[in-house]
Amino acid sequence: MTKQYRFMEPYQFANGAKLQNHIVMAPVTTQSSFFDGTVSNDEINFYRMRSGVGMIIVEVANVDATGKGFEGELSVAEDRFIPGLTALANAIHSKGSKAVLQIFDAGRKTTREILRGQQPHSASAVAPHRDPQNVPVALTEPEIEQIIKDFGEATRRAIQAGFDGVEIHGANTYLIQQFFSPHSNRRTDKWGGDVDQRMAFPKAVIVAVKKAADQYAAKDFIIGYRFSPEELSKPGITIADTLKLVDMLSDQPIDYLHSSMGNHKRSSLINRDDHETLNNKILKVIAGRKPLIEVGSIQTPADAETTLADGASLVAMGRELLRKPNWVEKVAAGDEQSIRYQLSPVDMDLVGLPRGLQRELRTGFLDAMNFTDQETTSFLNKFGQVEGFGG
């Protein structure tokens, strides 16, 4: 007899948007677009194979050319990208999934090489710890205003391409997080200052996105916001800062929050004496005002069910849906015993992993001369520890 799981029931957002189940595909960085950001057939096939979950969040698409973070990255910076994005949205819709496009600017988390000689930009001219020689230029106020407009225009394009929503990427040390962080934002104008003043840029982006949605989309268009709870930089974002951000976001015209973590049960990396999970702290502040998507080390049906029981509204999977594209269908059929929890390198084509993602997996963790199928138990878990994985 097939087990009855709460996560397999439909879910409805407050704006009326309906999902066929509570499972979300987390944004996963495939690095498989064409050099200019155009959608590739590899990406279309990859997402079509994973349709069937409630919602698929497509990984980072830059809203402006100077916000590109890596090679093989999607772009939604110009109208010419709309046809490819339309094909991508259609593939996601093929088995009933909602399609959400994650929109971002990489800020200082890029290089001159990726930007073809142009210096990266950020809130302030402060280099990241991982690349101290890569000092970004501080954005001027007119440039900040233009990037905010770019987020609105990116939303319009996503709507015209048939996406059901956008996710504002305020996590993983990209530009929006750089404005919120006391490490990367040392400004003294209206875009910087104390923790409340450093929320000005995220608020302005939300306003621009919401304005575009109101103008071009149906009322059930989904707007999400992803954030990272802590930074190890000093000074850096603390969970106390993030709880203030979450309180602000919970009163904004958005439809969900999405905490970005490698393990959804993780407690503070800064205060090791505090054992309460960060997501539990976040849920207390949200206090039912917005749905929270939790992600990180959720693999089995039991994991998904427990995550909902602990207070999350939706459950996101990244690595597990790489390994098992039809995870939801397996659960629906009562065929849980055949769900794959590890992946051999020789099966990457079988599960439709784009060549860009395969290349990163192989070069990052596999020695092609020595790697054997018996050594595959944890290689995708290792991949999941890389900063920036998951869009």
Side-chain angles (χ1 to χ4, degrees):
M1 182 177 177
T2 304
K3 293 182 181 178
Q4 300 300 307
Y5 289 111
R6 179 184 165 201
F7 67 78
M8 291 296 288
E9 297 172 0
Y11 177 83
Q12 183 168 320
F13 289 100
N15 71 354
K18 296 178 181 178
L19 308 184
Q20 58 191 1
N21 53 63
H22 289 64
I23 301 299
V24 175
M25 181 175 174
V28 294
T29 306
T30 63
Q31 295 186 277
S32 297
S33 300
F34 289 109
F35 74 96
D36 65 344
T38 301
V39 173
S40 69
N41 287 334
D42 268 5
E43 291 167 307
I44 292 169
N45 180 60
F46 173 74
Y47 285 108
R48 180 181 289 112
M49 287 185 68
R50 285 153 181 85
S51 182
V53 299
M55 184 168 80
I56 290 178
I57 305 172
V58 175
E59 81 274 15
V60 293
N62 60 69
V63 303
D64 60 285
T66 59
K68 181 178 178 178
F70 52 85
E71 302 296 354
E73 179 180 286
L74 279 169
S75 181
V76 64
E78 299 177 39
D79 285 359
R80 66 189 177 91
F81 296 116
I82 292 175
L85 292 167
T86 300
L88 191 58
N90 289 342
I92 292 169
H93 291 149
S94 62
K95 288 187 284 184
S97 297
K98 294 290 187 183
V100 172
L101 183 65
Q102 190 180 64
I103 53 177
F104 95 130
D105 182 304
R108 70 181 189 180
K109 195 174 180 180
T110 187
T111 66
R112 279 180 175 270
E113 290 73 25
I114 291 168
L115 298 183
R116 305 301 187 263
Q118 187 162 346
Q119 188 70 6
H121 58 234
S122 188
S124 300
V126 180
H129 290 307
R130 66 185 170 275
D131 191 5
Q133 303 305 311
N134 189 17
V135 181
V137 295
L139 288 161
T140 65
E141 288 201 40
E143 288 170 338
I144 292 171
E145 296 287 355
Q146 182 58 54
I147 290 173
I148 292 166
K149 291 177 183 177
D150 291 339
F151 273 95
E153 282 293 278
T155 302
R156 172 186 62 80
R157 295 183 187 106
I159 293 164
Q160 292 179 347
F163 279 84
D164 305 290
V166 294
E167 180 175 273
I168 300 167
H169 199 347
N172 295 14
T173 71
Y174 292 127
L175 184 64
I176 295 177
Q177 182 175 329
Q178 290 163 30
F179 268 89
F180 183 57
S181 169
H183 179 267
S184 44
N185 187 347
R186 312 289 176 90
R187 302 180 73 97
T188 57
D189 60 7
K190 68 178 183 178
W191 302 108
D194 64 19
V195 64
D196 294 312
Q197 292 168 316
R198 295 196 308 274
M199 296 181 197
F201 185 72
K203 285 180 182 177
V205 170
I206 291 170
V207 169
V209 168
K210 177 61 174 172
K211 182 179 178 181
D214 288 344
Q215 183 174 355
Y216 298 106
K219 66 180 182 64
D220 62 352
F221 186 78
I222 302 164
I223 300 173
Y225 189 102
R226 197 177 204 206
F227 61 93
S228 294
E230 292 181 317
E231 284 181 338
L232 295 180
S233 302
K234 293 182 180 180
I237 296 169
T238 65
I239 185 59
D241 294 334
T242 291
L243 294 180
K244 291 180 180 179
L245 176 70
V246 165
D247 187 46
M248 179 274 288
L249 292 172
S250 296
D251 289 329
Q252 295 298 307
I254 59 177
D255 300 293
Y256 71 80
L257 302 181
H258 185 182
S259 59
S260 179
M261 288 188 282
N263 188 320
H264 74 112
K265 293 183 177 181
R266 178 168 73 74
S267 56
S268 176
L269 294 174
I270 299 171
N271 182 3
R272 296 291 188 175
D273 295 327
D274 186 347
H275 301 297
E276 182 181 10
T277 68
L278 297 181
N279 276 325
N280 195 53
K281 292 177 183 291
I282 290 163
L283 284 165
K284 287 178 180 177
V285 171
I286 293 174
R289 288 176 288 171
K290 300 292 181 187
L292 178 67
I293 300 178
E294 290 189 21
V295 66
S297 301
I298 300 168
Q299 303 181 74
T300 68
D303 291 340
E305 200 74 349
T306 299
T307 303
L308 291 184
D310 287 344
S313 296
L314 294 164
V315 178
M317 295 181 179
R319 296 186 294 270
E320 181 53 27
L321 288 174
L322 296 186
R323 294 184 285 248
K324 198 65 185 176
N326 58 344
W327 188 95
V328 167
E329 290 91 332
K330 290 281 187 177
V331 174
D335 192 17
E336 295 175 29
Q337 69 277 4
S338 68
I339 293 177
R340 183 200 308 265
Y341 295 109
Q342 64 183 54
L343 181 65
S344 167
V346 300
D347 287 338
M348 289 188 192
D349 284 330
L350 180 67
V351 297
L353 298 191
R355 294 307 169 91
L357 177 55
Q358 289 192 30
R359 181 178 61 252
E360 289 303 307
L361 289 171
R362 293 183 188 279
T363 58
F365 298 101
L366 312 182
D367 181 342
M369 299 301 292
N370 300 320
F371 201 91
T372 65
D373 289 353
Q374 288 71 35
E375 296 173 302
T376 62
T377 303
S378 64
F379 95 104
L380 274 177
N381 285 331
K382 290 179 182 177
F383 182 64
Q385 303 308 310
V386 174
E387 182 185 12
F389 177 80

